[in-house]
Amino acid sequence: MGKILLLNGPNLNLLGKREPGVYGTKTLKHLEAEIIELGSAHNTEVCCCQSNHEGELIDRLHLANEDDTKGIIFNPGAFTHYSYAIRDAIAGIQVPVIEVHISNVHAREEFRHTSVIAPVAHGQIVGLGLKGYELAFFALIDLITV
Ligand code: DQA
């Protein structure tokens, strides 16, 4: 089957250490290993990428459109709330993107209530912790295999 990209934006390299009360104690490495393992169980290659830089995230989205990636699980971090450039990158590619947020952004500060990504995402999973990435994986598997 096709390839899935697990893409994480700014500050998510600090998972496990960063505000553990909000984001939990598991590391990004742990999360990536879990999704890679899910991939192997479903005959799907999972590529993992994290960047703190807007342009790098955009370049990675563009690359996914060229390298036979079938779906993208994407937590854009704080860029979610204001990056029109990332939104346009997603709108400009054909690969479906599932937007994931670990925390319930709607129960937090007002500025987190808006996502400029959501209108161009295939779907959005919010507030279910790292489980959200797993659910996004299964949603993409369903999408890819129909
Ligand atoms: C986040 C929520 C964002 O508001 C925040 O800036 C993050 C993480 C989440 O996963 O809950 O960096 O995307």
Side-chain angles (χ1 to χ4, degrees), residues 10-12 18 22-23 75-81 100-105 108 111-112 133:
N11 300 307
L12 290 158
R18 169 195 187 202
V22 177
Y23 300 113
N75 184 344
F79 285 137
T80 304
H81 313 301
V100 173
H101 299 288
I102 299 165
S103 64
N104 180 358
V105 283
R108 300 180 65 196
F111 75 89
R112 295 187 206 274
Y133 291 91

Side-chain angles (χ1 to χ4, degrees), residues 40-123:
S40 345
H42 291 80
N43 201 23
T44 300
E45 185 188 341
V46 176
C47 302
C48 300
C49 174
Q50 185 277 331
S51 177
N52 294 321
H53 307 279
E54 191 177 27
E56 250 172 47
L57 292 166
I58 292 168
D59 288 344
R60 193 62 191 85
L61 288 164
H62 292 174
L63 178 66
N65 207 38
E66 305 296 328
D67 73 354
D68 207 33
T69 296
K70 299 285 191 250
I72 303 172
I73 303 166
F74 187 19
N75 184 344
F79 285 137
T80 304
H81 313 301
Y82 65 92
S83 176
Y84 298 120
I86 290 179
R87 176 203 162 109
D88 283 354
I90 294 170
I93 63 174
Q94 279 78 51
V95 190
V97 171
I98 309 235
E99 178 187 346
V100 173
H101 299 288
I102 299 165
S103 64
N104 180 358
V105 283
H106 302 289
R108 300 180 65 196
E109 301 93 327
E110 186 90 33
F111 75 89
R112 295 187 206 274
H113 299 180
T114 300
S115 168
V116 300
I117 306 301
V120 293
H122 183 82

